[in-house]
Amino acid sequence: MSPIDVGGPEFFLGTAARYVALARPEIDPAQPGVLLAAEQAGVSPEEFAGSGDTWALMYEADGQGDGFELPGARDIEADDFAEQLQRALAAGEPFTAEAGNFLRLDARPSGDCWLVTAHITPPEGHDDDTARTLDLGALPAADLANDLEAFRRSLA
């Protein structure tokens, strides 16, 4: 279960304390905070909320987190990444999967779990462009498979 709720498609990997999430947030123009921010910006709530088609990568490790937008990323690329993960998990062998140049996952099976390490590289110009490595720990294989399937359905 994801500790974040972005309103749009999201693939969450990890635990509440250590995670990486690939998401396409959707902002509801009717939310009070959005209404207030739009008013302060002098634009309509719909214009402020935007199209809801910008992907982001979010991460957290023991209370320290960040995230960044992925301009130009599309649903098809997120689906390709999820499909790549599904194939790798089904093979049952250690693997590396990459989502662009911003996320690499290294995983190896361990009983009925996968030991997953995420390597995150923020884009140039991000406030903190330091690469991060997050050990996400042992993640149950069945949960990963279910989460990937649900993610791919949310993109359809």
Side-chain angles (χ1 to χ4, degrees):
M1 180 83 187
S2 170
I4 58 177
D5 180 14
V6 299
E10 166 194 322
F11 177 59
F12 174 85
L13 191 60
T15 66
R18 297 181 74 78
Y19 68 83
V20 61
L22 183 60
R24 181 170 43 84
E26 291 182 4
I27 300 172
D28 180 358
Q31 290 177 326
V34 174
L35 292 169
L36 178 61
E39 181 181 325
Q40 291 173 344
V43 298
S44 73
E46 294 77 17
E47 184 179 352
F48 186 82
S51 63
D53 63 357
T54 302
W55 282 91
L57 181 81
M58 296 166 277
Y59 59 91
E60 184 163 334
D62 305 320
Q64 300 295 316
D66 198 359
F68 46 87
E69 288 187 356
L70 303 168
R74 300 170 306 173
D75 288 5
I76 187 93
E77 294 158 337
D79 188 52
D80 287 346
F81 179 64
E83 183 179 17
Q84 178 186 82
L85 288 174
Q86 283 179 316
R87 284 192 314 269
L89 292 171
E93 299 290 329
F95 69 87
T96 296
E98 295 182 350
N101 59 0
F102 56 87
L103 175 63
R104 187 181 86 231
L105 299 177
D106 294 324
R108 66 187 198 296
S110 177
D112 64 349
C113 292
W114 284 88
L115 301 175
V116 180
T117 302
H119 304 275
I120 300 162
T121 305
E124 281 187 37
H126 183 61
D127 293 341
D128 181 3
D129 61 1
T130 305
R132 303 270 193 281
T133 299
L134 301 180
D135 178 7
L136 301 177
L139 306 176
D143 291 350
L144 284 173
N146 290 337
D147 291 348
L148 280 165
E149 187 59 37
F151 177 65
R152 293 191 73 201
R153 277 194 313 270
S154 73
L155 292 170

